[in-house]
């Protein structure tokens, strides 16, 4: 291997942090584009395609071991046209060539190393190749030499293999899209739930063995059915608890790592991705609003804090990821040796915190280090110590802050500072939802800043949405995932803020999505047609994030409810019908489409209780959840004056143990009307209570509340008052709601 400095190759002009990591390799890299493809045709050479992303540990390893080696680079440059692709910039290419790798090797991962003919058909593939033969893998040099020799001497066999593999990839990708005559029924959601139950780990939560991924599509399905199925609620709560207490969650700085390498969620793969944290923030906030578990609120607030501190740009957009390694060592930024902990904490506090954060026993990471985690729930530890959970939590937080400050003095992690439209949409939805439910208006404001950036900066000159942006440069027209997740975020922001502009922006983007990516047979292509892409695919199955066509269907149902426009419901039905045969055949692989089918049936009154979602011997399903409305409204009107105005009295009766936020607090109580004019409204002052995110005093209403003013009905029929409010107990808050009452 050579460490000599070389001149920048063609990647030096790119904006992707991943491509820029390779700009000084001695490899004659090309970015994907016509220049590279024309060179392959002109030179009649095969293409070596290397696909990865900036926070990928094994991508870094292969870059150091092979792509920085001058002899290996010389071989690559003589025999191949070498192309680097950032999978996060070109997900449609990643999907096609990852399918080829999975078909050939029966597994996948990154870096994805694929060899193509000049007409872009794959003939050989793998993932990471070591610098010498080991662990059953051929060395990268041997792979290069063998394939170069085959291209020169057995060209016909290579091209025959390429045709066969390209056909297999086409069949695999296009088979997904066979349409049906109608949407699937709601039973597919129950079958998907049963498949999850069969894989559920009752001891450690999650599904299957190691490695374990958060897989938000699992969690969204469980959350949707938790009110119908006791087993769904049990699986959801156990998984959220175990993930939050494990090393998967950064106990000091907040936020989730990408996945756990073990069954217990204790040792993570340390990169932190925006998509995981945006989606998990939303799930934890929503489940906290339903259960009141303070640990869920702690994790939601910590994840939001991580996004603000580590991944928010000066403009308010959100960056993509934090690297897993520093100094070539994965996890070095996060893990601790015993002497480091003792030095920061001192002997007494070390002894106090050790059993709480999992460093009282022998080190378990790479011989002499710990990954901080919570071996037991904080409430159990508090009970054992005969103290209140809140008091113990405050002590742990103070000591954790000292460790976080010390950790901040370590060599910083690299940040992938590109802005992706779809991942920002996930974060916007998470921030807006958490801001409304916790409640914390600062999170809603952050969501609004990110949305404003996306709508103004992520645009081409012709106005079309773009997928990726970095340092003033937008790259590639938007993919389906960009539209659906940004629309989803805007709808969440409209619900959290009450501002109609976000709903209008969501409608416009959904219309653009239909125009650019819609298929006449229903459903949506992942990308627009392009000459440098072998096939147009449709993203159906759930992976690290929920499948884009499923999110599209759910968005359309939401738009139909929010606007009252029937066209959106018809789009949802067409999208679901397009994938009905596939969902009915393998609902466990398309959980979010199954959830969308359930939601469609719910609105039609056809969804049945989820009894089928439990295996034999499981707990009986809970009764369907009833919407909680701990406030009642009574209206009194006086006689009309000469101009039609009447004295108005509105009496609110708030159930015991509940409070409403008064005007001046986040999601404070408000009064509006349809078909009626209101004037001179007087709200009583609220009682001050220490309920703000940082313990600040907020005004609240309890018991009976009288609102006075004047009203003038302006519609002969249908005039009604609209009370907007958020109801909370000391442990949890319901989502902001509107209570509608006809005017007497």
């Amino acid at each position: 291997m050579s460490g000599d400095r070389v001149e920048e190759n063609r990647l030096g002009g790119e904006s992707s942090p991943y491509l820029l990591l390779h700009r000084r390799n001695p490899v004659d890299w090309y970015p994907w584009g016509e220049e590279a493809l024309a060179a392959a045709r002109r030179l009649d050479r095969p293409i070596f395609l290397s696909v990865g992303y900036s926070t990928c540990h094994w991508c870094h390893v292969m870059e150091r071991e092979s792509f920085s080696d001058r002899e290996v680079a010389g071989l690559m440059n003589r025999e191949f046209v070498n192309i680097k692709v950032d999978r996060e910039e070109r997900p449609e290419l990643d999907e096609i060539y990852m399918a080829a790798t999975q078909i050939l090797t029966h597994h996948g991962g990154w870096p994805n190393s694929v060899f193509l003919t000049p007409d872009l058909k794959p003939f050989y593939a793998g993932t990471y190749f070591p610098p010498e033969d080991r662990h059953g893998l051929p060395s990268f040099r041997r792979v290069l030499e063998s394939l170069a020799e085959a291209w020169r001497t057995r060209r016909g066999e290579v091209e025959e293999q390429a045709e066969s593999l390209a056909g297999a990839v086409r069949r695999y990708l296009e088979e997904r899209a066979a349409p049906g005559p109608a949407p699937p029924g709601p039973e597919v959601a129950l079958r998907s739930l049963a498949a999850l139950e069969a894989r559920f780990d009752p001891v450690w939560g999650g599904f299957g063995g190691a490695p374990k991924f958060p897989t938000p599509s699992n969690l969204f399905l469980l959350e949707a059915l938790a009110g119908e199925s006791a087993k769904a609620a049990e699986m959801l709560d156990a998984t959220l608890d175990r993930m939050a207490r494990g090393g998967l969650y950064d106990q000091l700085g907040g936020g989730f790592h990408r996945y756990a390498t073990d069954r217990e969620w204790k040792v993570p793969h340390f990169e932190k991705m925006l998509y995981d944290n945006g989606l998990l923030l939303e799930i934890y906030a929503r489940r906290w609003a339903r259960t009141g578990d303070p640990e869920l609120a702690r994790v939601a607030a910590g994840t939001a804090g991580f996004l603000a501190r580590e991944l928010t740009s000066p403009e308010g957009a959100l960056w993509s990821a934090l690297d897993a390694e520093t100094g070539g060592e994965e996890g070095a930024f996060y893990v601790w040796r015993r002497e480091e902990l003792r030095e920061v904490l001192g002997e007494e506090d070390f002894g106090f915190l050790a059993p709480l954060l999992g460093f009282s026993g022998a080190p378990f990471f790479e011989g002499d280090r710990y990954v901080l985690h919570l071996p037991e729930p904080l409430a159990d530890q508090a009970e054992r110590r005969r103290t209140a959970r809140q008091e113990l939590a405050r002590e742990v937080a103070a000591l954790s802050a000292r460790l976080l400050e010390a950790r901040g003095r370590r060599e910083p992690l690299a940040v992938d500072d590109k802005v992706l439209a779809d991942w920002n949409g996930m974060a916007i939805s998470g921030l807006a939802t958490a801001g409304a439910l916790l409640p914390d208006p600062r999170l809603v404001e952050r969501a609004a800043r990110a949305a404003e950036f996306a709508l103004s900066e992520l645009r081409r000159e012709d106005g079309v949405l773009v997928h990726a942006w970095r340092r003033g440069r937008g790259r590639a027209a938007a993919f389906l995932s960009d539209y659906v997740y940004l629309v989803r975020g805007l709808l969440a922001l409209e619900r959290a803020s009450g501002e109609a502009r976000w709903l209008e922006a969501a409608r416009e983007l959904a219309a653009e999505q239909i125009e650019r990516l819609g298929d006449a047979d229903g459903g949506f292509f992942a990308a627009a047609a392009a000459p440098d892409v072998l096939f147009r695919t449709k993203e159906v199955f759930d992976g690290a994030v929920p499948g884009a066509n499923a999110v599209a269907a759910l968005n359309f149902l939401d738009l139909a409810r929010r606007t009252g426009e029937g066209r959106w419901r018809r789009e949802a039905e067409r999208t679901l019908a397009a994938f009905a045969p596939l969902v009915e055949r393998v609902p466990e692989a398309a959980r979010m489409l199954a959830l969308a089918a359930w939601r469609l049936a719910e609105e039609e009154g056809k969804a049945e209780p989820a009894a089928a979602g439990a295996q034999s011997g499981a707990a009986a399903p809970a009764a369907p959840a009833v919407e909680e409305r701990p406030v009642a409204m009574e209206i009194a009107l006086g006689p009309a004056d000469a101009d039609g105005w009447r004295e108005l009295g509105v009496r609110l009766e708030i159930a015991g143990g509940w409070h409403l936020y008064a005007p001046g607090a986040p999601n404070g109580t408000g009064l509006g009307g349809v078909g009626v004019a209101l004037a001179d409204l007087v709200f009583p002052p609220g009682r001050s209570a220490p309920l703000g995110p940082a313990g600040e005093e907020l005004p609240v209403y309890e018991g009976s509340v009288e609102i006075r003013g004047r009203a003038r009905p302006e519609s002969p029929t249908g005039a009604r008052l609209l009370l907007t409010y958020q109801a909370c107990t000391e442990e949890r808050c319901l989502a902001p709601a509107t209570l509608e009452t006809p005017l007497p």
Side-chain angles (χ1 to χ4, degrees):
M1 184 182 297
S2 170
D4 295 345
R5 185 177 179 85
V6 299
E7 294 299 318
E8 287 191 350
N9 54 45
R10 292 176 181 84
L11 301 183
E14 294 298 300
S15 62
S16 159
Y18 175 64
L19 300 188
L20 290 172
L21 285 172
H22 298 78
R23 70 188 185 277
R24 295 197 181 277
N25 292 162
V27 179
D28 187 16
W29 289 116
Y30 288 83
W32 184 277
E34 181 53 33
E35 182 186 7
L37 306 185
R41 295 191 296 266
R42 184 180 70 254
L43 298 170
D44 195 32
R45 290 182 188 170
I47 293 168
F48 170 59
L49 174 65
S50 179
V51 184
Y53 57 101
S54 70
T55 57
C56 164
H57 173 67
W58 288 105
C59 300
H60 295 333
V61 173
M62 196 165 177
E63 188 274 333
R64 290 190 291 268
E65 292 177 341
S66 296
F67 302 148
S68 296
D69 186 300
R70 287 186 178 277
E71 292 186 9
V72 172
L75 176 58
M76 295 172 68
N77 296 339
R78 287 192 304 273
E79 303 290 349
F80 301 91
V81 170
N82 304 290
I83 301 178
K84 263 287 172 194
V85 166
D86 183 338
R87 68 176 293 260
E88 294 166 1
E89 283 195 335
R90 297 298 300 268
E92 86 284 29
L93 296 174
D94 179 59
E95 181 186 28
I96 291 168
Y97 294 113
M98 182 56 69
T101 301
Q102 290 170 329
I103 289 170
L104 272 178
T105 69
H106 305 291
H107 70 274
W110 296 274
N112 191 23
S113 304
V114 191
F115 293 84
L116 319 176
T117 62
D119 58 355
L120 307 183
K121 294 173 183 173
F123 61 88
Y124 186 83
T127 54
Y128 163 77
F129 290 106
E132 63 277 327
D133 295 354
R134 65 182 181 220
H135 305 307
L137 293 173
S139 72
F140 187 53
R141 182 192 296 270
R142 187 150 70 89
V143 169
L144 293 171
E145 291 172 341
S146 298
L147 294 177
E149 191 272 337
W151 182 257
R152 288 192 302 269
T153 63
R154 301 192 305 279
R155 176 77 170 264
E157 294 176 24
V158 172
E159 291 179 335
E160 184 178 348
Q161 164 80 355
E163 286 292 336
S164 176
L165 182 54
V169 173
R170 180 186 292 276
R171 288 190 297 275
Y172 169 72
L173 294 175
E174 293 187 347
E175 183 271 344
R176 304 180 185 184
E187 69 280 355
V188 293
L190 307 182
R191 290 170 53 206
S192 187
L193 176 63
L196 281 181
E197 185 176 350
R199 297 174 50 235
F200 177 63
D201 182 343
V203 177
W204 296 101
F207 303 90
K212 277 185 173 174
F213 289 78
T215 316
S217 57
N218 293 344
L219 306 177
F220 281 121
L221 178 68
L222 293 175
E223 185 206 24
L225 298 179
E228 300 280 349
S229 163
K231 189 63 180 179
E234 174 194 329
M235 291 190 289
L236 176 62
D237 291 336
T239 301
L240 294 181
D241 171 65
R242 289 296 191 174
M243 289 198 309
R245 289 198 288 115
L248 183 79
Y249 180 74
D250 180 358
Q251 303 296 335
L252 300 183
F256 289 86
H257 300 290
R258 184 162 164 254
Y259 65 87
T261 62
D262 59 335
R263 179 188 173 196
E264 297 88 350
W265 303 103
K266 193 161 68 173
V267 178
H269 185 46
F270 287 92
E271 61 203 290
K272 286 183 176 179
M273 313 301 294
L274 177 60
Y275 61 79
D276 283 325
N277 285 284
L279 293 170
L280 292 173
L281 169 59
E282 178 177 345
I283 290 166
Y284 274 86
R286 283 163 54 166
R287 193 59 182 161
W288 174 76
R290 178 59 62 185
T291 67
D293 182 349
E295 280 298 290
L296 301 176
R298 175 185 75 89
V299 171
T303 303
F306 156 71
L307 292 178
R309 188 179 62 254
E310 305 286 350
L311 288 184
T312 299
S313 75
E315 301 88 354
L318 287 114
W319 294 324
S320 295
L322 279 184
D323 210 332
E325 63 174 51
T326 48
E329 188 176 356
E330 185 183 2
F333 183 79
Y334 295 103
V335 299
W336 296 83
R337 292 184 174 88
R338 179 180 292 269
E339 57 270 22
E340 294 173 324
L341 292 162
R342 185 174 278 111
E343 180 181 351
V344 174
L345 295 170
E347 196 64 41
E348 181 179 349
D349 289 335
F350 176 95
F352 172 83
L353 200 58
L356 294 165
L357 286 184
F359 55 89
S360 58
F364 54 86
F365 181 77
E366 295 189 352
D368 64 345
R369 286 176 284 187
Y370 299 92
V371 180
L372 302 184
H373 63 288
L374 296 174
E376 291 184 90
L378 211 55
D380 292 356
Q381 289 271 12
E383 183 176 357
R384 184 174 299 111
R385 296 172 186 233
R386 298 184 180 180
T387 187
R389 181 206 163 276
Q390 296 92 325
E391 180 58 34
L392 183 60
R394 280 193 290 271
E395 293 183 73
V396 171
L399 296 177
S400 297
R402 283 163 53 186
L403 291 173
L404 181 63
E405 181 183 7
R407 193 178 80 178
R409 294 192 288 271
R410 295 175 175 176
E411 180 183 344
L413 296 161
V415 180
D416 185 332
D417 60 354
K418 68 177 177 291
V419 175
L420 300 176
D422 49 356
W423 295 7
N424 268 255
M426 298 173 201
I428 290 166
S429 184
L431 289 167
T433 302
L437 295 176
L438 288 179
D440 187 343
R442 296 169 298 182
L443 305 187
V444 180
E445 292 166 7
R446 290 173 193 157
R449 284 191 71 205
E452 287 164 352
F453 181 92
L455 295 174
S456 62
E457 299 298 326
L458 300 184
R459 294 287 188 182
R460 295 192 318 199
E461 290 183 1
D462 60 1
V464 170
L465 187 71
V466 298
H467 168 63
W469 180 98
R470 184 171 186 261
R471 299 185 181 180
R473 297 173 60 184
R475 301 298 298 269
F479 302 106
L480 177 61
S481 60
D482 298 309
Y483 287 109
V484 300
Y485 279 108
L486 201 47
V487 167
R488 187 173 183 273
L490 292 169
L491 291 172
L493 186 53
E494 188 266 342
R495 286 191 296 271
S497 68
E499 296 184 36
R501 61 174 174 144
W502 305 122
L503 177 60
E504 185 56 33
R507 293 169 64 184
E508 291 173 0
L509 279 179
E512 185 179 314
Q513 167 195 321
I514 293 168
E515 179 182 355
R516 286 193 62 242
L517 302 177
D519 181 11
D521 292 332
F524 296 88
F525 292 107
D532 62 346
V533 180
L534 274 181
F535 319 119
R536 288 185 85 185
T537 65
K538 290 182 177 178
E539 186 181 328
V540 181
F541 296 135
D542 303 307
V545 300
N549 271 282
V551 179
L554 289 163
N555 285 346
F556 291 142
L557 290 173
D558 204 357
L559 281 166
R561 285 191 297 270
R562 305 296 290 175
T563 67
E565 298 173 10
R567 61 173 175 144
W568 301 118
R569 182 182 179 83
R570 291 190 292 273
E571 287 290 348
E573 292 170 342
R574 289 183 70 249
T575 302
L576 285 167
F579 307 107
L582 182 143
V583 179
E584 288 162 351
R585 187 168 66 253
V586 285
E588 65 276 10
R591 294 170 296 275
M592 290 295 281
L593 277 168
L595 172 57
W598 176 271
R599 289 265 167 83
L600 177 66
E602 267 190 323
E603 295 191 357
E604 296 173 343
K606 296 178 182 177
E608 298 293 334
Q615 298 291 330
S616 176
V626 177
E627 181 184 4
E628 293 178 88
R629 182 165 286 170
V631 59
M633 178 167 62
E634 297 179 359
I635 301 170
L637 283 178
D641 65 14
D643 296 321
W645 287 97
R646 300 167 179 263
E647 292 296 320
L648 170 68
V650 177
R651 183 182 182 87
L652 307 181
E653 292 292 343
I654 303 166
W658 292 86
H659 62 262
L660 309 187
Y661 286 103
N667 299 315
T669 302
L671 195 64
V674 175
V676 58
L678 300 176
D680 304 329
L681 293 178
V682 178
F683 291 80
R687 177 181 71 83
S688 292
L691 298 172
E696 65 266 30
E697 299 280 330
L698 295 177
V700 298
Y701 290 151
E702 295 169 321
S704 296
V705 177
E706 294 277 353
I707 303 170
R708 312 297 300 181
R710 295 192 300 149
R712 183 173 65 189
E714 296 183 339
S715 170
T717 60
R720 54 198 188 275
L721 291 184
L722 306 177
L723 178 77
T724 56
Y725 67 94
Q726 183 171 31
C728 301
T729 68
E730 290 188 359
E731 290 79 29
R732 66 190 181 108
C733 290
L734 303 181
T738 300
L739 178 58
E740 196 170 307
T741 302
L743 207 63

